Amino acid sequence: MKAIILSAGEGSRMRPLTLTKPKTMLPVAGKPIIQYNIESLRNNGITDILLIVRYKEEMVRNYFGDGRDFGVNITYKTQKDFLGTANAISYGEDFIDESIIVLNGDIILDDEIIGEIIEKYNEEKPDTLMVLTEVENPSAFGVVEIENGYIKNIVEKPKKEEAPSNLVNAGIYIFNKDIFDKINKTEISERGEYEITDSVSLQIEEGKEVKGYKTSKDWIDVGRPWELIEVNESLIGDLKTEIKGIVEGGAFIHGNVHLDEGSIIRAGVYIEGNVYIGKNCDIGPNSYIRGNSYFGDNVHVGNAVEIKNSIIMENTNVSHLSYVGDSVIGSNCNIAAGTNIANLRFDNATIKTKIKDKKIDSGRRKLGAIIGDSVKTGINSSFSPGVKVGFNSTIGSGVLLYDDVPSDTRVLVKQNHIIQDKKVKR
């Protein structure tokens, strides 16, 4: 069996983080999201993998190469247009032998899930095996009508009271060659895309064996910025201590820490809970690093900084006397001295943030800022819970930021008023 991983899209709901990186390359617990899937496939004996790429594809290609360093054989095809999942999968028609497993690149699967579904497929040999998961409210998903294990119908985003079941499509499939015949017959949808669920529906209409399988194992869909924090929390929870760098005397570590080569934890640093620290990082002195925090390579955390449950990407500085809570900070940022990123509302309500100009409830009581790459803050700037700052923007000294900031924008305090203007793009 071979595998296709879909990694062509940007992931617009993850902006501003995906303005400079494809979503599948966002880091959690020391690896890009997509690497977890590649390793799960490899651990279950699947080593021939086709990556469907497009958006900033050079990042994926440069990181994984031919796959040799990861124990697999990777080939690439570029999706010419964003024309949906069926169109993306069609690029594998010449790649398949007898069967193929298809995964979205922005989900993280337990190794056991891959093993389970391969075993199930090999036992029953249907034309298609679709992995299902049960949800409380199926109205936002493709819902299946199932009978004796066979899928009879797929209903896209029905009203809750009209849904045929609470079982929804998890976006993980095993196909035989027949699917490519159906993809070639699939018509474009109202969204202007060729949907793989429409191709599967053609199989059902033709009487092909389309089986659903509800996995008993957990899997994680990473679609929105706070879900990146949640995935990081989950994966860092399994971290084992590995010290390759230097821990100075007078530093205190409680919990498991991965400290990579060239990194140093300075005297007076207090680490509580599991923390991942990449290569060539400089932490402290006298900083407080709290559980489930991740630091990419070349991160500098200054004196008397507190960081809690956050993702700090590579080449970013968090200067002295700053606080960062439940946040994601992109690459090449400079967080100036005294910057405070709040993560809790006064009323303790769950925090809402904008996704595609619509306020969405994150469901999280604690959520800080989502900051894109190459952002700079001035001294004593402050961020309200749930705000987002676009790529290459500057937040001036003393600004109290309540609203999202677009990319390439400068926010300043002038005569006691907050003003915004467009920066000159680099």
Side-chain angles (χ1 to χ4, degrees):
M1 186 179 293
K2 295 181 177 180
I4 295 176
I5 302 180
L6 307 181
S7 183
E10 172 196 342
S12 57
R13 291 184 301 166
M14 292 291 278
R15 290 178 182 170
L17 304 174
T18 52
L19 293 173
T20 46
K21 300 179 180 77
K23 179 168 67 169
T24 59
M25 291 300 292
L26 293 174
V28 285
K31 302 173 188 175
I33 293 169
I34 194 173
Q35 186 174 336
Y36 289 93
N37 286 336
I38 289 171
E39 291 176 351
S40 289
L41 291 167
R42 178 201 63 202
N43 294 344
N44 283 279
I46 298 178
T47 55
D48 289 321
I49 300 172
L50 173 63
L51 296 187
I52 308 299
V53 293
R54 185 181 179 196
Y55 178 75
K56 299 193 180 296
E57 64 182 88
E58 68 282 354
M59 289 188 176
V60 184
R61 291 176 181 266
N62 291 341
Y63 185 89
F64 291 105
D66 62 7
R68 190 179 313 166
D69 292 343
F70 300 87
V72 294
N73 176 37
I74 296 177
T75 53
Y76 301 86
K77 287 195 177 178
T78 301
Q79 188 177 14
K80 293 178 182 177
D81 296 295
F82 292 127
L83 290 175
T85 49
N87 176 257
I89 294 167
S90 72
Y91 286 81
E93 187 167 7
D94 297 332
F95 181 71
I96 189 174
D97 288 333
E98 296 299 323
S99 57
I100 200 156
I101 183 169
V102 177
L103 310 173
N104 289 324
D106 57 357
I107 59 176
I108 293 180
L109 301 176
D110 188 287
D111 286 1
E112 293 183 20
I113 294 180
I114 300 290
E116 260 189 14
I117 60 180
I118 291 172
E119 183 179 0
K120 183 74 172 176
Y121 181 84
N122 288 336
E123 282 176 2
E124 302 185 7
K125 293 291 185 184
D127 293 286
T128 289
L129 180 69
M130 179 188 292
V131 179
L132 308 175
T133 190
E134 192 167 4
V135 298
E136 185 176 331
N137 181 4
S139 60
F141 301 92
V143 185
V144 301
E145 182 181 346
I146 194 164
E147 184 179 310
N148 298 323
Y150 290 93
I151 295 175
K152 299 298 183 182
N153 192 21
I154 304 172
V155 183
E156 286 295 333
K157 299 181 180 178
K159 293 180 180 178
K160 185 176 181 180
E161 62 275 11
E162 297 175 359
S165 74
N166 278 53
L167 292 173
V168 303
N169 175 17
I172 308 162
Y173 311 88
I174 300 181
F175 298 117
N176 64 18
K177 291 183 177 181
D178 177 73
I179 194 63
F180 294 100
D181 173 65
K182 301 305 180 290
I183 287 173
N184 291 333
K185 295 176 181 177
T186 298
E187 297 181 355
I188 200 161
S189 70
E190 291 181 0
R191 296 197 307 168
E193 297 182 354
Y194 296 96
E195 315 274 2
I196 192 60
T197 49
D198 290 343
S199 307
V200 173
S201 294
L202 291 177
Q203 287 187 310
I204 295 169
E205 291 172 13
E206 198 175 279
K208 298 292 184 182
E209 287 193 351
V210 177
K211 301 208 76 172
Y213 177 66
K214 181 178 178 292
T215 179
S216 60
K217 303 294 189 300
D218 291 333
W219 58 278
I220 308 170
D221 184 8
V222 190
R224 296 167 296 189
W226 60 87
E227 290 169 346
L228 199 67
I229 296 173
E230 290 166 2
V231 171
N232 194 64
E233 290 170 351
S234 175
L235 295 173
I236 284 187
D238 298 327
L239 195 68
K240 305 299 181 188
T241 291
E242 187 175 16
I243 305 295
K244 298 179 181 178
I246 297 170
V247 181
E248 289 186 346
F252 296 88
I253 296 176
H254 300 272
N256 293 311
V257 170
H258 174 96
L259 182 68
D260 219 325
E261 297 170 356
S263 291
I264 184 168
I265 297 173
R266 296 190 180 275
V269 171
Y270 192 99
I271 295 180
E272 183 179 70
N274 289 3
V275 172
Y276 184 102
I277 301 171
K279 293 182 174 66
N280 303 314
C281 294
D282 192 334
I283 312 298
N286 306 315
S287 294
Y288 180 25
I289 310 299
R290 298 167 63 185
N292 304 322
S293 291
Y294 163 78
F295 303 104
D297 295 344
N298 306 305
V299 166
H300 178 260
V301 175
N303 177 55
V305 171
E306 181 178 351
I307 296 177
K308 170 193 175 283
N309 194 30
S310 294
I311 296 171
I312 314 295
M313 298 186 197
E314 70 276 4
N315 305 311
T316 284
N317 298 322
V318 183
S319 300
H320 53 282
L321 302 171
S322 295
Y323 173 76
V324 178
D326 298 272
S327 299
V328 182
I329 300 179
S331 307
N332 304 302
C333 294
N334 191 71
I335 307 302
T339 297
N340 284 288
I341 299 179
N343 60 346
L344 180 67
R345 289 169 52 112
F346 287 133
D347 59 5
N348 279 323
T350 54
I351 293 167
K352 295 177 179 170
T353 190
K354 280 186 180 179
I355 303 291
K356 295 185 174 180
D357 295 322
K358 186 177 180 181
K359 278 278 189 181
I360 302 292
D361 191 340
S362 70
R364 291 182 64 94
R365 180 172 160 268
K366 291 188 176 181
L367 177 63
I370 309 299
I371 296 176
D373 289 355
S374 302
V375 168
K376 292 179 174 59
T377 74
I379 59 170
N380 299 323
S381 55
S382 298
F383 294 71
S384 295
V387 298
K388 298 195 293 183
V389 179
F391 164 72
N392 193 35
S393 287
T394 301
I395 309 302
S397 300
V399 169
L400 175 54
L401 194 67
Y402 285 104
D403 299 308
D404 291 357
V405 175
S407 296
D408 297 300
T409 299
R410 179 168 44 202
V411 181
L412 303 170
V413 174
K414 188 172 183 180
Q415 295 179 346
N416 297 321
H417 294 285
I418 301 289
I419 61 168
Q420 288 190 25
D421 65 358
K422 280 290 183 182
K423 294 170 65 178
V424 176
K425 290 187 180 181
R426 291 192 241 179

